[in-house]
Amino acid sequence: MMEKLSAKEFDQNFNAVISKFNKALLVTGKVSKDVILLAATKTVDIDTINYAINKGINYVAENRVQELLAKHDKLLPVHEHFIGHLQTNKVKDVIERVELIESVDSIKLAKEISKQALKHGKVMDILLEVNIGGEDSKWGFKPKDTLDAVKEIALLDGVRICGLMTIPPICQTEDETRGFFKKMYKLFIDIKDKKIDNSYMNILSMGMSDDFDIAIEEGANLVRVGTALFGKRNYL
Ligand SMILES: *Cc1c(COP(=O)(O)O)cnc(C)c1O
C-alpha cells in the first residue's frame, strides 16, 4: 500500500528533522556535509519521494527488492541505497540499481554480491550489518564476529567494504539507546584502526526517526529516517 502525504505535511516534517539534525551536528562540531540524511522510503508513493528529492533529500533507500524495482525507474536523480535483508537470488536486481548495499548480513551474501558484481563489470560498495544487541530476531553479524567477517569479505574482488550499519534493539530509555550506539562506534573505530586491506571504514550508518540525533552525537555519519519525514505508515 502506497501512502501519499500532502506537501504541507512533508514540509513540516522535513523542517523538524532538519532542525533536530542541525542541533545534533552542533554537539559534534560536524557540518551538514559530514553526515548523510537518508530517507527510508518504504510504503511511500513515488510522487511524495520525488517531492522530497526536490526539497533537498539526496539519498533514498528501500528495504524490499520488489518495491525498489517498482520505484527505481521513476525516481528523480538521487543516490540510492538498499537497507533490507537481501536474499541471494535477488542480488542481481539490486546491484544494477543502487550505489550502496548497507545490509550485508552474511558471508554467503557478500560472496554472491561479489560474484554478480564482477559479472556486471563492477565493484559493489557495501556495509556490513551488525546485530549490536545480539538479538535472535535480527539479521547481522554478532559484534564479536564482525572483525573476522571484514577480513574474509575484504578478500572478495567484487565488493568494497565501506563501513558498518546497525539497527539497535528497541530501548526504554535514551541512555540505553546511547549505550548501543557507543558500543557500535567503538567496534567501528576498532576495526578501522586495523586498516584491513581493501576495506574502508568510512561510513557508520545508525539512527532512525526516534534516535537519529543521538546516533549523530555518538558518531554516526549516515542516518536513515522514514517515519519522521513521511509520517506513520502501515507496514506491508
Ligand atoms: C524503515 C527503516 C528505517 C527508518 O525507520 P523509521 O523508524 O521509520 O525512521 C531505517 N532503517 C531500516 C533498515 C528500515 O527498514
Side-chain angles (χ1 to χ4, degrees), residues 63-65 82-87 103 105-106 109 129 139:
N63 63 329
R64 286 166 193 264
V65 176
F82 189 78
I83 57 175
H85 176 61
L86 181 56
Q87 287 167 305
S103 42
D105 52 18
S106 70
L109 175 61
E129 181 170 351
W139 301 102

Side-chain angles (χ1 to χ4, degrees), residues 67-110:
E67 227 179 312
L68 167 71
L69 295 181
K71 293 174 186 172
H72 173 78
D73 290 341
K74 299 175 193 136
L75 286 175
L76 292 172
V78 68
H79 298 280
E80 277 184 271
H81 292 183
F82 189 78
I83 57 175
H85 176 61
L86 181 56
Q87 287 167 305
T88 49
N89 62 342
K90 298 199 173 145
V91 164
K92 59 181 177 317
D93 293 327
V94 173
I95 57 168
E96 292 170 358
R97 292 176 177 85
V98 306
E99 62 188 45
L100 180 67
I101 301 174
E102 295 196 18
S103 42
V104 174
D105 52 18
S106 70
I107 305 274
K108 182 176 159 224
L109 175 61

Side-chain angles (χ1 to χ4, degrees), residues 40 42 63 83 165 167 208-209 224-228 233 235:
K42 57 174 163 280
N63 63 329
I83 57 175
M165 179 270 233
I167 307 173
M208 314 199 297
S209 287
R224 311 175 309 268
V225 179
T227 313
R233 290 159 285 163
Y235 287 90

Side-chain angles (χ1 to χ4, degrees), residues 28-83:
T28 63
K30 289 180 180 166
V31 295
S32 59
K33 69 165 174 45
D34 299 333
V35 181
I36 293 173
L37 171 63
L38 172 141
T41 50
K42 57 174 163 280
T43 79
V44 181
D45 75 283
I46 191 76
D47 293 340
T48 305
I49 300 172
N50 281 336
Y51 180 84
I53 293 170
N54 272 329
K55 282 281 162 172
I57 289 287
N58 296 318
Y59 289 80
V60 300
E62 293 292 339
N63 63 329
R64 286 166 193 264
V65 176
Q66 206 186 344
E67 227 179 312
L68 167 71
L69 295 181
K71 293 174 186 172
H72 173 78
D73 290 341
K74 299 175 193 136
L75 286 175
L76 292 172
V78 68
H79 298 280
E80 277 184 271
H81 292 183
F82 189 78
I83 57 175

